[in-house]
């Protein structure tokens, strides 16, 4: 008992306790467990300095980020391309403050190579790798500190960072995506990379949550149905085929 939320990354897992602390376990070669070492752990260890006051957590590939009760963001682990947001590319085995995000952050999503946060004002800020435009700032320049996503200065309720792309749900229930668009993972009907957000075709309202995977994306609608788009070679879109989809398709059997 005592755990309020959990996030499973590729090679490690972290949990927020009822007391607001964080415990992590698994692979730790880059310090992604935050215990001040690079020793893999088969059972949970306490993240240094985060013994209380954490409200949410997101585990990426080799890094982890947490939102504090004050709305600040702390990150630790692998820092290639600046995914920790502390203005350096130095790996950290204990949490560091994300530059400029000292308050006002409501949620966080750590992707494989970049990280994004939703602010209380409903805007989105991202940092880290940006070769395919996954930071949404109109460039393909890696960022060691957060940058504002173009056009999303308000009205965003949730975010999900995938491998090289990012998607957000707006207050109106629409979905906006940006970044790498191979196999149609942005859902705009093309395979063109986007360095600023584009609207997902057909999802103009009624979406409540989103999850961006490595090569595909899925959304839950207010009616309780699921729509997915992008790569489908293993049937990950759930539409009964293995055909890639550039726009959302309904998952079979999950109609609400």
């Amino acid at each position: 008992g005592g755990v309020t939320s959990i996030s499973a990354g590729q090679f490690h897992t972290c949990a927020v306790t009822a007391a607001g602390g964080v415990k992590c376990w698994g692979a730790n070669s880059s310090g992604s467990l935050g215990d001040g070492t690079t020793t893999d752990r088969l059972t949970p260890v306490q993240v240094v300095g985060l013994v209380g006051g954490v409200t949410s957590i997101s585990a990426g590939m080799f890094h982890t980020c947490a939102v504090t009760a004050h709305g600040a963001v702390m990150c630790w682990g692998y820092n290639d391309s600046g995914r920790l947001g502390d203005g350096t590319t130095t790996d950290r085995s204990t949490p560091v403050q994300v530059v400029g995000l000292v308050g006002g952050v409501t949620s966080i999503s750590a992707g494989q190579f970049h990280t994004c946060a939703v602010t209380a004002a409903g805007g989105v800020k991202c940092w880290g790798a940006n070769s395919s435009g996954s930071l949404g700032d109109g460039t393909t320049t890696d960022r060691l500190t957060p940058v504002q996503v173009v056009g999303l200065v308000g009205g965003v309720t949730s975010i999900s960072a995938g491998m090289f792309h990012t998607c957000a749900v707006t207050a109106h229930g629409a979905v906006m995506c940006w970044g790498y668009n191979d196999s149609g993972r942005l859902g705009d009907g093309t395979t063109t990379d986007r360095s600023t957000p584009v609207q997902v075709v057909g999802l103009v309202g009624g979406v409540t949550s989103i999850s961006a995977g490595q090569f595909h994306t899925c959304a839950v609608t207010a009616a309780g149905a699921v729509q997915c788009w992008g790569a489908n070679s293993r049937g990950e879109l759930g539409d009964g085929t293995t055909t890639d989809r550039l726009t959302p398709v309904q998952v079979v059997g999950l109609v609400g």
Side-chain angles (χ1 to χ4, degrees):
V3 170
T4 58
S5 63
I6 196 151
S7 182
Q10 272 83 345
F11 306 107
H12 72 293
T13 314
C14 292
V16 178
T17 69
V22 179
K23 293 189 174 183
C24 298
W25 59 97
N28 198 24
S29 60
S30 302
S32 49
L33 301 188
D35 69 338
T37 79
T38 54
T39 304
D40 294 351
R41 304 292 184 175
L42 306 186
T43 56
V45 290
Q46 185 85 43
V47 175
V48 171
L50 297 183
V51 293
V54 168
T55 57
S56 63
I57 192 121
S58 185
M61 181 178 281
F62 298 115
H63 77 296
T64 316
C65 292
V67 179
T68 73
H70 301 292
V73 180
M74 307 290 292
C75 296
W76 58 95
Y78 192 45
N79 201 16
D80 181 63
S81 304
R83 69 192 76 179
L84 300 188
D86 70 337
T88 78
T89 55
T90 304
D91 295 349
R92 307 291 185 176
S93 61
T94 57
V96 289
Q97 179 94 44
V98 175
V99 172
L101 296 184
V102 296
V105 169
T106 57
S107 64
I108 191 98
S109 183
Q112 274 90 335
F113 308 110
H114 71 295
T115 315
C116 292
V118 178
T119 70
V124 179
K125 294 191 174 183
C126 298
W127 58 96
N130 197 25
S131 60
S132 302
S134 49
L135 302 188
D137 69 338
T139 79
T140 54
T141 305
D142 293 350
R143 304 293 184 176
L144 308 187
T145 56
V147 290
Q148 185 85 42
V149 175
V150 172
L152 296 182
V153 293
V156 168
T157 57
S158 63
I159 192 121
S160 183
M163 180 178 279
F164 298 116
H165 76 296
T166 315
C167 292
V169 178
T170 73
H172 301 293
V175 180
M176 307 291 291
C177 296
W178 58 95
Y180 192 45
N181 202 16
D182 182 63
S183 304
R185 68 192 76 180
L186 300 187
D188 70 338
T190 78
T191 55
T192 304
D193 295 350
R194 307 291 184 175
S195 61
T196 57
V198 290
Q199 179 95 43
V200 175
V201 172
L203 297 183
V204 295
V207 169
T208 57
S209 65
I210 191 100
S211 182
Q214 271 133 313
F215 309 114
H216 72 298
T217 316
C218 291
V220 179
T221 71
V226 180
Q227 302 262 347
C228 297
W229 57 97
N232 199 24
S233 62
R234 303 293 180 88
E236 53 263 53
L237 301 189
D239 69 338
T241 79
T242 53
T243 304
D244 294 350
R245 305 293 184 177
L246 308 187
T247 57
V249 290
Q250 184 92 34
V251 175
V252 173
L254 299 180
V255 293

